[in-house]
């Protein structure tokens, strides 16, 4: 890859990992539309590490509080709000792990076409619009129940299909359950930590088994730009989402999906 491609792909990863517009779709598009070379396993690991560091540093106080609460009360009958939330993150992660294990190879072969991405981008964009329009916005993150967490986790499992957007579908599910926009986003971001960590570990295992040469400059640039963009994205998204709503992202998804359909059929 050229330096330009390295930086652009890292920016795409950092910005789209946490916005409801699908990072996987955007990372697939440069090779499909512009003919760019596949970024390779090592680079994929690097940009995911950058995104993971961003979300963990931003939510470091929340993560520490949840871990402490779970260690103290997670296995007792006297659950606290934080220990429950820690359990809900664990519970909501399980469906994605199962789905990823069962369907990863199938999706790699059949689910990464421009037509699939265009369709899911539009369909789940409209679903996000509907959920945001009808949302009561009456509950905050502390009012989640295990049933709510499982529902959001099942929604997250659907995001194995490129173009769905992991953050988009989990925020959609949260809004459907009556969460306010910031709480839906916060729970989505917390859920991203085990998912990105798991994906990174799997990619790292594949990398260790690969004979692919490691270009350290590419990895450092990718991780660095991904981290900066992801951190800025999380900060700005949480600051603005209660005011702007989901409509700008829905419009973007509809435009992107339409352009992809034109690319496929014209």
């Amino acid at each position: 890859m050229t330096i330009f491609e390295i930086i652009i792909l890292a920016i795409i990863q950092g910005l789209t990992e946490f916005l409801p517009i699908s990072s996987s779709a955007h990372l697939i598009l440069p090779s499909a539309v512009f003919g760019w070379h596949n970024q390779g396993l090592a680079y994929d690991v690097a940009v995911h590490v950058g995104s993971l560091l961003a979300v963990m540093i931003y939510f470091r106080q929340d993560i520490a509080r949840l871990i402490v609460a779970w260690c103290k009360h997670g296995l007792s009958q006297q659950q606290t709000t934080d220990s429950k939330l820690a359990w809900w993150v664990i519970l909501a992660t399980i469906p994605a792990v199962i789905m990823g294990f069962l369907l990863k190879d199938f999706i790699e072969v059949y689910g990464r076409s421009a037509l699939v991405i265009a369709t899911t981008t539009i369909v789940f964009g409209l679903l996000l619009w509907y959920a945001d329009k009808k949302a009561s916005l009456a509950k905050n993150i502390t009012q989640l129940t295990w049933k709510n967490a499982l529902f959001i986790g099942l929604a997250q499992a659907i995001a194995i299909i490129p173009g769905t957007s992991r953050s988009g579908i989990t925020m959609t599910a949260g809004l459907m359950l009556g969460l306010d926009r910031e709480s839906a986003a916060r729970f989505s971001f917390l859920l991203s930590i085990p998912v990105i960590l798991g994906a990174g570990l799997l990619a790292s295992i594949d990398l260790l088994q690969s004979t692919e040469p490691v270009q350290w400059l590419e990895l450092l640039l990718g991780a660095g730009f991904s981290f900066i963009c992801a951190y800025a994205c999380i900060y700005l998204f949480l600051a603005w989402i209660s005011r702007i709503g989901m409509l700008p992202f829905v419009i973007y998804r509809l435009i992107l999906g339409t352009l992809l359909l034109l690319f496929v059929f014209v």
Side-chain angles (χ1 to χ4, degrees), residues 160-200:
I160 190 175
I161 306 171
T164 302
S165 172
R166 190 211 60 80
S167 58
I169 195 67
T170 51
M171 290 181 203
T172 297
L175 291 170
M176 286 180 170
L177 293 170
L179 287 177
D180 62 75
R181 294 187 183 104
E182 184 177 347
S183 292
R186 280 186 169 273
F187 192 65
S188 173
F189 293 156
L190 289 173
L191 280 185
S192 74
I193 295 171
V195 170
I196 298 174
L197 181 60

Side-chain angles (χ1 to χ4, degrees), residues 1 7 12 20-21 48 68-69 110 114 120 135-136 187 201 213 242:
M1 293 189 296
I7 293 173
I12 289 173
I21 55 177
H48 276 84
V68 170
Y110 299 104
T120 52
S136 65
F187 192 65
L201 288 174
S242 294

Side-chain angles (χ1 to χ4, degrees), residues 110-134:
Y110 299 104
R112 301 177 75 84
S113 69
L115 179 58
V116 170
I117 294 170
T119 302
T120 52
T121 297
I122 291 172
V123 169
F124 289 103
L126 291 172
L127 186 61
L128 176 62
W129 168 78
Y130 177 81
D132 192 48
K133 185 176 177 62
K134 297 296 183 180

Side-chain angles (χ1 to χ4, degrees), residues 95-259:
V97 173
I98 295 172
M99 190 70 75
F101 178 76
L102 293 177
L103 297 180
K104 180 179 181 293
D105 293 338
F106 179 85
I107 294 297
E108 286 291 330
V109 175
Y110 299 104
R112 301 177 75 84
S113 69
L115 179 58
V116 170
I117 294 170
T119 302
T120 52
T121 297
I122 291 172
V123 169
F124 289 103
L126 291 172
L127 186 61
L128 176 62
W129 168 78
Y130 177 81
D132 192 48
K133 185 176 177 62
K134 297 296 183 180
S136 65
L137 309 177
K139 294 162 63 175
N140 61 48
I141 196 171
T142 63
Q143 295 173 284
L144 280 172
T145 66
W146 71 267
K147 292 180 180 179
N148 297 155
L150 183 58
F151 179 76
I152 295 173
L154 291 170
Q156 179 174 241
I158 300 172
I160 190 175
I161 306 171
T164 302
S165 172
R166 190 211 60 80
S167 58
I169 195 67
T170 51
M171 290 181 203
T172 297
L175 291 170
M176 286 180 170
L177 293 170
L179 287 177
D180 62 75
R181 294 187 183 104
E182 184 177 347
S183 292
R186 280 186 169 273
F187 192 65
S188 173
F189 293 156
L190 289 173
L191 280 185
S192 74
I193 295 171
V195 170
I196 298 174
L197 181 60
L201 288 174
L202 289 176
S204 297
I205 293 171
D206 290 339
L207 179 61
L208 291 173
Q209 298 172 346
S210 171
T211 57
E212 181 181 288
V214 176
Q215 303 293 332
W216 291 106
L217 178 59
E218 290 186 5
L219 303 192
L220 290 173
L221 282 174
F225 276 93
S226 177
F227 169 81
I228 293 169
C229 292
Y231 193 92
C233 176
I234 296 169
Y235 177 84
L236 294 174
F237 187 84
L238 289 175
W240 292 345
I241 191 58
S242 294
R243 287 176 286 171
I244 67 174
M246 298 294 181
L247 185 58
F249 305 103
V250 172
I251 293 172
Y252 176 82
R253 290 183 68 128
L254 295 180
I255 294 172
L256 176 61
T258 301
L259 291 175

